[in-house]
Amino acid sequence: MLATIVDWAALWQVIAASFVVSVAVTTLFTSGLVLVEPGDRPPSAARRALGGLLLLASVALVAGGLYVVFTTK
Amino acid sequence: MEQDIVLVLLVAVALAFDFTNGFHDTANAMATSIATRALAPKVAVGLSAILNFVGAFVSLKVAATIAADIVDAAAITPTIILAGLLGGIFWNLLTWRLGLPSSSSHALIGGIVGAVLVAAGSGAVFADGVVGKVLVPAAVAPLLCLAAAATATFIVYRLIRSRPREELHRGFRLGQIASASLVSLAHGTNDAQKTMGVITLALVSNGNLSGAHPGVPVWVVVSAASAIALGTYVGGWRIIRTVGHRITGLEPPQGFAAEMSSAATIVAASHAGFPLSTTHVTSGGVMGAGVGKRAADVHWDVVARMAAAWLLTLPAAGAMAALFYLATRALGTDVAGPLVVSALAAVTAGALYAQTQRSPDHATAADL
């Protein structure tokens, strides 16, 4: 009965999208932060650049997700 | 004419519900940011209020679900919906008094379904819609958010394990301002729509809108957005204290993971038209953040209390709404009953609020 009542396709999309976005954004943001923040010694320019790119990627993923949600019917 | 007076009363009560929804649910977005000191309490609720207002304009799919998929608009009257709203408001106030983050959405839906069951019978309730659009997503969403937040938190702590915590916490606090803002936006998107859906349902049942594909009038969107923003700004400090401090002790990386998972779940569900409980989702996120760091840190006794309130919400709000409807019918469903019952409900709600403000465990922004 549940098989016909519940829109499983939509529900699975919600599950997949939210899980992937949550884990991906958190991982990208944390990795970027770890590379950018000075630990025991200041990070190299390359390390800072890569960290900055990862932080930007986390922002882009959120912005892209919102764009898709807010512009598709 | 009499039904129009009841409709005006209903719109006022619906907006009052929306206010309590914002008031009750501020914790969803901002509790973790306040707990980790990423934002000062007053700044947090101000930011949340603005984003709730903006979020209310983003999508109308949840409003459409409430207006068309839960109960039969043709079989009900504004008086029935009014009783449902009063049931939802009272359950919200009672759980706020107890400091329990129960679901405003389920209180609303439970209230409407309870009043419709008593007034118009089970034939006027769309069981498929209630199960498929409300109950199943309600069960899945908090578990999904818990799993996502636990996984994200576990990965975060693996990545930062050999780094000095204080420097990274500064970065995570900045991240939390963004993630908490996303939760507020998502909350406005999902929750403000529920009130819009109820007012639209009332307009259809009163003959002001066509029942086939009712659009949500602009004045409904603006007034619902304003009411939820105002309620959010007032701030439900008691529930913020429970979510932010009593489920688990939170560090900024956990707060960030919990908020990102909550925002992603709520936005995705709103896009699919599922009117899920943002309270359940964000509480699931906080639990997941506790489990992902160290499961033993989660206060499972508090979680059990919250779960009991969650299970009770639909039937309890439904029972309260049924009583409100029976009282209204006893006094006359034209104008007298709705007016008298609403006035009595307002006085009781005011007394409950005032009594809570005077109680020794009353929480304010300064306590957080």
Side-chain angles (χ1 to χ4, degrees), chain B residues 105-178:
Chain B
S105 314
H106 292 176
L108 176 66
I109 292 167
I112 299 284
V113 169
V116 170
L117 274 175
V118 169
S122 58
V125 176
F126 297 144
D128 289 7
V130 174
V131 174
K133 297 269 185 177
V134 180
L135 294 181
V136 172
V140 170
L143 296 175
L144 163 65
C145 194
L146 190 155
T151 309
T153 304
F154 179 78
I155 293 172
V156 167
Y157 277 93
R158 297 286 294 175
L159 288 170
I160 66 173
R161 65 185 185 279
S162 58
R163 309 283 300 184
R165 288 291 166 87
E166 203 37 57
E167 283 174 11
L168 289 172
H169 281 188
R170 207 171 46 229
F172 276 113
R173 284 194 186 98
L174 284 175
Q176 267 198 282
I177 296 173

Side-chain angles (χ1 to χ4, degrees), chain B residues 31-347:
Chain B
T32 50
S33 298
I34 294 170
T36 61
R37 309 281 176 223
L39 284 168
K42 284 286 184 187
V43 174
V45 297
L47 180 64
S48 184
I50 292 167
L51 288 162
N52 264 281
F53 183 84
V54 173
F57 290 87
V58 165
S59 162
L60 293 172
K61 284 189 178 174
V62 172
T65 299
I66 297 282
D69 296 343
I70 308 293
V71 293
D72 182 2
I76 60 176
T77 64
T79 305
I80 299 173
I81 303 171
L82 179 68
L85 280 167
L86 290 173
I89 289 175
F90 264 78
W91 182 250
N92 255 2
L93 282 173
L94 200 64
T95 50
W96 164 75
R97 173 71 186 89
L98 298 170
L100 288 175
S102 72
S103 165
S104 302
S105 314
H106 292 176
L108 176 66
I109 292 167
I112 299 284
V113 169
V116 170
L117 274 175
V118 169
S122 58
V125 176
F126 297 144
D128 289 7
V130 174
V131 174
K133 297 269 185 177
V134 180
L135 294 181
V136 172
V140 170
L143 296 175
L144 163 65
C145 194
L146 190 155
T151 309
T153 304
F154 179 78
I155 293 172
V156 167
Y157 277 93
R158 297 286 294 175
L159 288 170
I160 66 173
R161 65 185 185 279
S162 58
R163 309 283 300 184
R165 288 291 166 87
E166 203 37 57
E167 283 174 11
L168 289 172
H169 281 188
R170 207 171 46 229
F172 276 113
R173 284 194 186 98
L174 284 175
Q176 267 198 282
I177 296 173
S179 58
S181 300
L182 273 176
V183 179
S184 293
L185 188 78
H187 182 261
T189 304
N190 200 288
D191 276 38
Q193 285 193 63
K194 289 158 192 157
T195 302
M196 294 177 207
V198 167
I199 297 175
T200 305
L201 181 65
L203 291 169
V204 172
S205 72
N206 201 46
N208 302 82
L209 285 177
S210 150
H213 296 288
V216 182
V218 174
W219 68 266
V220 175
V221 179
V222 173
S223 53
S226 305
I228 201 165
L230 191 62
T232 303
Y233 185 70
V234 173
W237 306 114
R238 297 171 71 83
I239 297 176
I240 289 176
R241 186 172 58 189
T242 301
V243 175
H245 295 283
R246 293 186 176 168
I247 295 177
T248 184
L250 283 176
E251 291 182 348
Q254 291 171 287
F256 181 72
E259 285 167 354
M260 277 312 309
S261 307
S262 303
T265 306
I266 298 165
V267 169
S270 302
H271 185 55
F274 293 128
L276 49 77
S277 162
T278 52
T279 307
H280 293 186
V281 171
T282 48
S283 300
V286 172
M287 287 173 212
V291 170
K293 188 181 175 216
R294 209 170 60 166
D297 284 345
V298 179
H299 303 149
W300 294 109
D301 55 328
V302 177
V303 173
R305 240 178 103 221
M306 283 166 49
W310 293 3
L311 288 175
L312 272 177
T313 295
L314 275 168
M320 285 184 178
L323 289 175
F324 276 117
Y325 180 75
L326 293 173
T328 307
R329 194 166 67 183
L331 293 164
T333 52
D334 44 4
V335 178
L339 268 179
V340 172
V341 169
S342 299
L344 285 174
V347 170

Side-chain angles (χ1 to χ4, degrees), chain A residues 51-69:
Chain A
L53 271 178
L54 291 175
L55 287 174
L56 271 180
S58 69
V59 174
L61 189 54
V62 171
L66 288 176
Y67 179 79
V68 170
V69 165

